[in-house]
Amino acid sequence: MRTIKLITLLLVGCSLSASAQLPINDTNTPLHLLKPNYQTPYGAPKVEKVKQDMDRVLSFLEESMPMTTEDGHIKPGAMRLTSYESGVIYAAAEDAALRTKDMRYMKFAEDRLRFLSDLAPKVANKLKQNPQSDPQMKKVVLPAALDDAGAMCAALCRLSLQQPYKAFEPRIENYMVQIRRQHRLGNDSIFARERPHHNSVWLDDMYMGIPSMAWYACLKGDTKLMHEAVEQIRAFKSRMWMPQQQLFRHGWVETMTPHPFFPWGRANGWALLTMCEVLDAMQTSHERMSQAGKTDYDGYDEDRAFVLDLFRQHVAGLAPLQDKTGFWHQLLNNPSSYLETSATAIYTYCMAHAICEKWIDAQAYGARTLLAWNAVSTQINEQGHVSNTCVGTGMGFDAAFYCYRPVHYMAAHGYGPTLWAGGEIIRLLQQAHPKMNDSAIMFYPTEQKTQAPIFSEDEKNVIDW
């Protein structure tokens, strides 16, 4: 084999020597080995490199989200401890610990959730007298919106399933009070808001409300609530889903005719992530009930099939809109809008997770999932900053509103999805079998021992046209 490789390199060398004097053509040059000028790294990343990127992000978050009090209230860091973005970060860190086996990620989430849960009863009376005395803890003690309650509650429920802690219980119940009393609309009681207009439905609220219901149902063995979580997905589909495009609109206003279609990238990410979370919660609940000798509720299989089918349709709608760089656009159907990191990271996680769970086909979606991670990784710098993330965004009904939303590395929306994506890419690399074949990344059902390309990676690096 070594002799064959040496002969091959000699032939390539002769070809290079000849091509230095003659114009490159089909007979004197192996043109198929010319190096593509990819804008984003192409191929399967190394697990070690993915972990290094994640570790940089975690170090930045540890520094930016300190657990410090001053005069009895939280001393602000660079990022808040109690926003919905924080809830996403905590849930992602919990999963990252499972995927990387690095308990530093679990410690990051658990320490902060315990800190907040322990602090809450100490400041409750003061906050009730003066709600502005600690704006961060106000969201914990006196949540007033799904943004305050949903993501944080889901992170606490997920952690309680792994690391029970008594102080979590009143916080979870307090969050669930807000989720239950959230403004609802219509016969299907869909989550709604009173802004920007009366009875406005935000796609974001799929994530802000539904995963917390599902994980709480799993924690408590509440099958009625699990079914209600699925019914909320049905309600969002009835108003927000565009079947021809297989995408969701961002906003829906009861009094508006017609209902415009603006498929904002991150909101579609929240919708896809919601379905991932509900499917996971249903599976975890099913396993816990089976271990307890109980059977699931009538309609469980139908509910799961509905969510899985909608998830697959959504992935099918998103996949062809991926840019050649691996990113998705801020407005998914508008290639003139900028390429955005947080949405791309969410899609990376959801697609990688779905492949690992056998919900979607690795051969069809594996390569684009790796390309998406490679794109996200280009936005992580040495300091652990995640760049090119759209800042918080309300509801709009014109393209300019979305296309000119600012981006900033301090937008916390990008950090949880990036940790989530990195951890699941590691799982994908370890569980699936990506391999280069004819210069393209392919996924195989088993590990491929044979060398598919004619040249090894080292040999291809010698051929530098």
Side-chain angles (χ1 to χ4, degrees):
M1 179 61 72
R2 182 175 179 82
T3 302
I4 294 173
K5 286 188 175 182
L6 289 172
I7 293 172
T8 301
L9 287 171
L10 285 172
L11 290 172
V12 171
C14 291
S15 177
L16 284 168
S17 177
S19 64
Q21 300 173 8
L22 298 172
I24 292 176
N25 61 45
D26 186 50
T27 60
N28 65 23
T29 305
L31 297 176
H32 67 288
L33 291 177
L34 290 173
K35 286 186 176 180
N37 187 25
Y38 291 117
Q39 292 176 249
T40 300
Y42 186 84
K46 300 292 186 184
V47 168
E48 295 77 11
K49 173 63 167 58
V50 178
K51 179 63 161 51
Q52 288 169 6
D53 285 337
M54 294 174 65
D55 286 348
R56 282 195 287 269
V57 171
L58 180 60
S59 294
F60 174 69
L61 291 173
E62 289 172 330
E63 178 183 345
S64 300
M65 300 173 70
M67 298 170 288
T68 308
T69 57
E70 185 176 68
D71 299 327
H73 59 77
I74 293 178
K75 184 177 181 180
M79 288 184 179
R80 292 170 291 171
L81 294 176
T82 62
S83 65
Y84 77 80
E85 303 98 294
S86 305
V88 178
I89 290 170
Y90 299 143
E94 292 162 15
D95 264 10
L98 297 177
R99 304 309 177 204
T100 64
K101 311 304 180 188
D102 184 347
M103 296 312 293
R104 179 183 163 200
Y105 290 87
M106 186 65 76
K107 178 175 171 55
F108 168 83
E110 186 174 1
D111 283 356
R112 281 154 183 79
L113 290 171
R114 286 194 177 209
F115 168 76
L116 295 170
S117 298
D118 290 340
L119 183 60
K122 299 175 183 177
V123 299
N125 289 334
K126 183 178 180 180
L127 280 166
K128 289 172 184 176
Q129 295 170 9
N130 179 13
Q132 300 309 316
S133 62
D134 190 338
Q136 291 202 64
M137 286 307 297
K138 176 188 173 185
K139 293 177 180 290
V140 179
V141 176
L142 303 170
L146 283 181
D147 284 3
D148 297 342
M152 291 291 292
C153 183
L156 278 167
C157 289
R158 289 163 123 265
L159 183 57
S160 295
L161 287 163
Q162 303 175 60
Q163 308 282 349
Y165 185 58
K166 192 168 183 61
F168 291 161
E169 297 174 13
R171 302 281 58 83
I172 291 171
E173 297 298 335
N174 194 46
Y175 282 135
M176 286 303 299
V177 168
Q178 173 56 41
I179 292 165
R180 290 189 179 103
R181 74 185 177 199
Q182 177 68 26
H183 178 58
R184 304 292 184 100
L185 171 65
N187 293 331
D188 52 10
S189 298
I190 190 172
F191 290 125
R193 306 192 195 192
E194 295 287 40
R195 65 181 179 92
H197 298 285
H198 175 61
N199 285 343
S200 297
V201 178
W202 297 57
L203 184 60
D204 317 54
D205 286 345
M206 279 186 72
Y207 184 78
M208 303 309 151
I210 299 174
S212 53
M213 296 168 65
W215 284 114
Y216 181 84
C218 178
L219 185 65
K220 299 295 184 179
D222 188 340
T223 55
K224 182 179 178 181
L225 185 61
M226 187 70 78
H227 176 65
E228 186 181 334
V230 176
E231 288 298 290
Q232 277 289 321
I233 297 177
R234 293 183 194 275
F236 274 92
K237 182 186 178 185
S238 72
R239 289 170 178 79
M240 316 293 275
W241 179 247
M242 301 295 289
Q244 185 174 353
Q245 292 86 357
Q246 295 183 298
L247 301 172
F248 288 94
R249 58 166 55 92
H250 180 209
W252 183 96
V253 177
E254 185 180 38
T255 57
M256 187 177 289
T257 305
H259 297 289
F261 174 53
F262 289 95
W264 179 37
R266 188 159 69 228
N268 271 264
W270 295 138
L272 195 68
L273 183 56
T274 295
M275 290 183 276
C276 264
E277 287 285 86
V278 170
L279 287 168
D280 283 346
M282 293 182 79
Q283 180 63 30
T284 302
S285 177
H286 184 74
E287 291 170 357
R288 284 165 62 88
M289 293 188 72
S290 295
Q291 291 170 3
K294 299 178 181 178
T295 58
D296 239 309
Y297 63 92
D298 291 341
Y300 169 88
D301 291 337
E302 180 183 348
D303 279 355
R304 186 180 183 279
F306 161 74
V307 178
L308 184 56
D309 178 65
L310 183 58
F311 177 88
R312 287 170 172 163
Q313 289 184 59
H314 199 188
V315 169
L318 289 165
L321 299 178
Q322 185 180 27
D323 186 75
K324 65 184 179 182
T325 59
F327 290 99
W328 275 265
H329 290 271
Q330 165 79 341
L331 270 182
L332 294 169
N333 63 346
N334 188 337
S336 71
S337 65
Y338 59 82
L339 302 169
E340 202 275 332
T341 303
S342 66
T344 302
I346 297 173
Y347 302 152
T348 303
Y349 165 73
C350 291
M351 292 169 69
H353 187 65
I355 292 170
C356 291
E357 295 295 321
K358 313 298 187 202
W359 300 340
I360 61 175
D361 183 18
Q363 295 181 57
Y365 294 108
R368 67 179 75 238
T369 303
L370 293 183
L371 180 61
W373 169 256
N374 288 344
V376 170
S377 71
T378 66
Q379 301 304 301
I380 305 170
N381 67 13
E382 290 298 320
Q383 290 73 44
H385 302 160
V386 178
S387 300
N388 209 42
T389 293
C390 177
V391 299
T393 297
M395 185 187 298
F397 296 104
D398 60 89
F401 171 76
Y402 292 99
C403 293
Y404 288 96
R405 290 301 291 157
V407 297
H408 202 281
Y409 78 90
M410 287 304 297
H413 313 71
Y415 287 86
T418 297
L419 287 183
W420 233 327
E424 205 65 17
I425 285 293
I426 288 176
R427 182 187 179 200
L428 179 66
L429 292 170
Q430 293 172 337
Q431 181 174 308
H433 305 282
K435 189 176 182 63
M436 296 296 292
N437 190 332
D438 258 353
S439 302
I441 187 72
M442 298 289 172
F443 276 71
Y444 296 91
T446 58
E447 184 178 358
Q448 302 299 293
K449 300 292 188 180
T450 58
Q451 182 67 35
I454 297 174
F455 297 91
S456 70
E457 289 298 319
D458 289 341
E459 290 163 346
K460 282 191 286 185
N461 290 334
V462 171
I463 308 170
D464 188 359
W465 305 115

